[in-house]
Amino acid sequence: MRKIKQGDQVVVVAGKDKGERGTVLRVVQRRRGLGVVVEGVNQVRKHQKPNPQLGQPGGIIEQEKPLDISNVMLLNPATGGGDRVGFKVLEDGRKVRYFKSNGETVDA
C-alpha cells in the first residue's frame, strides 16, 4: 500500500511549482524511486514530430512530467494544507491511511 495513490488531492512542497495543488493522475516507477504526475503541475513544452500512422500532428505540445513523490504531500481537507500520512490497522482487520496531525482516516 502506498501513501499517495492515483486520484488523491496533493500539494507540492518543493520545487518550482511549490504551493500548487492538484489531483494525482498516475504514480510512475522511475530510476530513482517513485514519481507522481499531478494535474496541471510541472508542465513542460515538448517538440513533437508528426506521425501520420498514429494520426499525431506535429508541433509544440504542453505535457505534465512526473515529480518525485517526496516533493508532494497529501492534502488534508480539515487543515487545508499538506499533511504526513501513516498506516494503521482497524479492528476489523483493514489497513487504512490516516493523517498524522489529527488522526483522521484518509480511506473511509
Side-chain angles (χ1 to χ4, degrees), residues 73-90:
M73 292 180 91
L74 203 58
L75 183 67
N76 188 344
T79 61
D83 203 350
R84 294 184 301 154
V85 178
F87 296 102
K88 65 181 171 183
V89 179
L90 299 178

Side-chain angles (χ1 to χ4, degrees), residues 74 76-79 83-91 96-108:
L74 203 58
N76 188 344
T79 61
D83 203 350
R84 294 184 301 154
V85 178
F87 296 102
K88 65 181 171 183
V89 179
L90 299 178
E91 293 81 24
V96 294
R97 299 180 294 169
Y98 75 99
F99 292 115
K100 296 247 183 164
S101 64
N102 56 5
E104 291 181 13
T105 60
V106 178
D107 308 315

Side-chain angles (χ1 to χ4, degrees), residues 18-73:
K18 183 177 180 177
E20 295 284 327
R21 296 176 181 195
T23 306
V24 175
L25 299 176
R26 63 185 182 276
V27 179
V28 294
Q29 180 67 40
R30 298 168 52 181
R31 259 188 260 142
R32 297 183 184 208
L34 293 174
V36 290
V37 177
V38 181
E39 184 179 20
V41 177
N42 201 20
Q43 293 271 351
V44 295
R45 294 172 63 127
K46 178 181 176 185
H47 296 258
Q48 182 174 339
K49 283 187 174 182
N51 189 344
Q53 293 175 342
L54 297 177
Q56 292 179 345
I60 300 173
I61 60 169
E62 292 276 330
Q63 140 183 100
E64 292 115 352
K65 289 291 185 174
L67 292 166
D68 196 78
I69 202 163
S70 65
N71 293 338
V72 297
M73 292 180 91

